[in-house]
Amino acid sequence: MKFPKLTVAALSLLSDFLSARTWTDVKGRTLEAEMVSKSESSVTVLVRGQKTEIALEMLSESDQKFVKNWERGDVAGYEALFEQKWPKLVSIDLDIEITEEEGEDGSYIYRSPHYEFISNTELSKVPVKRFSVLFEATREYVRQLPYANKKAHQESVRYQVFLFDTMESYVRAGGPEGSAGVYLGGKDVIMVLCQSLGLVKRGSTWAMDYDRTNKTLPHEITHQLTDREYFVEGARGWFSEGFAEYVAVTPYRSGKFSVSKAPSYIEEYVTSFSRVDNRGRNLGEEILAPRLEKFMTMSYSDFASAENGNFNYGLGALLVTYFNHYDGEGDAANIKNFLRAIKQGKTGTEALEVLRAGRSWEQLEEDVTTGWRKRGVKIDFM
């Protein structure tokens, strides 16, 4: 069985992945756009991948107030996070505390240290604790990676996850039909079917199916923990999805991610099917790929298309793994500089120029090809 494609969810949630808001001008006209930067007299927003400068005096009073209070993340304040050593093993204490209460709307609310699960069906503490460990461990994994994801370091909030007992109730609430779970960036919540948590219905109760593995959940959890800046043009697609794939494919068991094994597992997952669960992208060990500049700057709708989504997710995972472990001195320096540049407001080809680190696109393609050829994967950029 192949790993299920995520393109249905991805296409329907394109706008949700952007940190966009609705802007209103003094004439009452509206615009959906993502804020990039500001000056004393104007604001720069991203509209369909293009930067546009708007005079503050043209905006509504509430929008002007928003701009005044807006602050880009302080890169210097998180510089130490970029300097963290790449983890080999990430683990958490399995004995986490779970609290529960009934919501006013009849829902059932379960809380772990950093998550709030709102369910439309009653669950017992045993399975809740089991899947909560996966969520908490994924959070700790993303925290320890030297990507400086500020969201993963929040201590004063609980990330929200909505659970549904049937596909009908899931779709009715806004989940894409046919998907196992999804992250809604606009609302910053995860929606997921109980079955996707490894739960099975036995009579009137839910129990854990201990034989099931799950790559969809860590993928969506990673999206929820990823800073919004990392979804901008130039990173959206190859990096945002490749990063989520990197985390999701890393071998996991009982609160532990074996990070040192991630590269070999990703190679197997992308080129064939996993020996553990028979899921994978199955692109083969000889891959014909589009030119890197085109691939890294394509629109998200093209990246996640039904026709090419499976291939693009796989290639994205290979690229992220390359930059994490095989590029340059193998210290992830270039991809960390790329993320620094994004936090400083660079997007698109300007940010990717930092990633290339003085190399032409052709030279970068040669480096990627060489890096993976040493590991038995042949990538030809055509």
Side-chain angles (χ1 to χ4, degrees):
M1 179 179 69
K2 293 184 179 181
F3 182 54
K5 296 181 181 180
L6 302 177
T7 52
V8 173
L11 284 171
S12 65
L13 295 168
L14 172 60
S15 61
D16 278 322
F17 275 119
L18 312 181
S19 49
R21 68 186 302 274
T22 302
W23 300 83
T24 306
D25 69 9
V26 291
K27 296 183 179 180
R29 296 173 296 189
T30 59
L31 173 70
E32 291 289 327
E34 174 186 2
M35 185 167 172
V36 175
S37 62
K38 67 179 180 179
S39 67
E40 290 185 2
S41 60
S42 67
V43 58
T44 300
V45 298
L46 202 62
V47 184
R48 292 184 292 277
Q50 299 296 318
K51 290 182 180 180
T52 301
E53 187 175 2
I54 303 174
L56 290 179
E57 63 183 9
M58 297 297 295
L59 295 174
S60 66
E61 184 177 345
S62 62
D63 281 348
Q64 291 187 41
K65 183 178 180 180
F66 173 84
V67 173
K68 180 180 179 181
N69 294 329
W70 183 87
E71 294 292 341
R72 177 171 291 282
D74 179 10
V75 179
Y78 289 89
E79 182 59 32
L81 300 180
F82 279 118
E83 299 306 323
Q84 293 181 127
K85 291 185 178 180
W86 207 274
K88 294 182 179 179
L89 176 70
V90 174
S91 63
I92 65 166
D93 186 351
L94 297 180
D95 190 24
I96 62 176
E97 182 181 358
I98 302 295
T99 62
E100 56 184 313
E101 68 177 71
E102 190 170 341
E104 294 181 0
D105 59 354
S107 63
Y108 301 89
I109 303 173
Y110 307 92
R111 297 186 179 93
S112 66
H114 301 100
Y115 285 89
E116 181 176 78
F117 303 94
I118 301 108
S119 175
N120 71 343
T121 185
E122 188 173 9
L123 306 170
S124 67
K125 277 193 175 182
V126 173
V128 171
K129 188 171 184 177
R130 175 83 176 189
F131 64 68
S132 294
V133 166
L134 172 60
F135 278 81
E136 295 286 348
T138 305
R139 173 184 177 272
E140 184 59 28
Y141 183 6
V142 175
R143 275 167 57 89
Q144 290 193 31
L145 288 174
Y147 279 177
N149 272 303
K150 302 187 295 294
K151 285 187 70 179
H153 288 266
Q154 295 179 111
E155 293 291 350
S156 59
V157 301
R158 278 190 173 93
Y159 311 98
Q160 284 195 324
V161 183
F162 288 85
L163 315 181
F164 300 89
D165 58 347
T166 65
M167 178 63 76
E168 290 75 18
S169 60
Y170 171 73
V171 172
R172 191 162 54 246
E177 191 165 2
S179 63
V182 69
Y183 169 60
L184 302 178
K187 298 179 180 179
D188 199 23
V189 302
I190 289 174
M191 295 173 56
V192 63
L193 287 163
C194 287
Q195 293 88 338
S196 300
L197 296 168
L199 299 176
V200 292
K201 195 71 175 287
R202 292 175 180 165
S204 60
T205 61
W206 291 90
M208 289 298 303
D209 180 355
Y210 292 99
D211 294 328
R212 292 190 61 180
T213 60
N214 196 310
K215 290 182 175 68
T216 301
L217 269 182
H219 185 108
E220 301 305 327
I221 296 169
T222 300
H223 280 325
Q224 191 177 36
L225 296 166
T226 299
D227 288 352
R228 286 184 177 271
E229 296 101 312
Y230 296 165
F231 290 105
V232 298
E233 181 190 10
R236 185 187 309 131
W238 79 268
F239 173 76
S240 60
E241 297 300 339
F243 171 38
E245 292 277 87
Y246 181 91
V247 172
V249 178
T250 302
Y252 167 84
R253 185 177 180 84
S254 300
K256 296 180 180 180
F257 279 96
S258 300
V259 188
S260 61
K261 297 179 180 179
S264 61
Y265 271 66
I266 289 165
E267 177 187 339
E268 179 184 61
Y269 167 78
V270 172
T271 60
S272 58
F273 297 116
S274 169
R275 288 168 292 183
V276 176
D277 58 13
N278 199 33
R279 305 169 91 181
R281 297 293 177 187
N282 196 30
L283 303 187
E285 294 182 349
E286 296 189 8
I287 300 171
L288 295 179
R291 306 311 296 252
L292 265 184
E293 183 175 12
K294 178 181 179 181
F295 184 74
M296 289 180 158
T297 58
M298 72 170 61
S299 69
Y300 188 76
S301 58
D302 287 342
F303 182 92
S305 67
E307 181 181 0
N308 297 314
N310 184 69
F311 176 90
N312 292 339
Y313 276 74
L315 182 57
L318 291 180
L319 288 175
V320 168
T321 303
Y322 167 80
F323 286 112
N324 285 348
H325 301 289
Y326 309 142
D327 189 27
E329 300 298 320
D331 55 2
N334 290 329
I335 197 166
K336 287 191 285 186
N337 287 335
F338 168 68
L339 297 177
R340 285 187 180 96
I342 289 174
K343 284 185 176 291
Q344 293 166 353
K346 293 183 179 180
T347 63
T349 55
E350 188 179 18
L352 289 167
E353 185 177 355
V354 176
L355 181 68
R356 288 193 285 122
R359 294 167 288 189
S360 67
W361 283 106
E362 290 76 14
Q363 289 171 327
L364 179 57
E365 290 171 352
E366 290 178 9
D367 287 350
V368 172
T369 297
T370 300
W372 273 113
R373 185 189 295 124
K374 292 178 180 179
R375 287 140 188 106
V377 181
K378 183 180 179 182
I379 304 176
D380 288 328
F381 294 96
M382 307 296 290

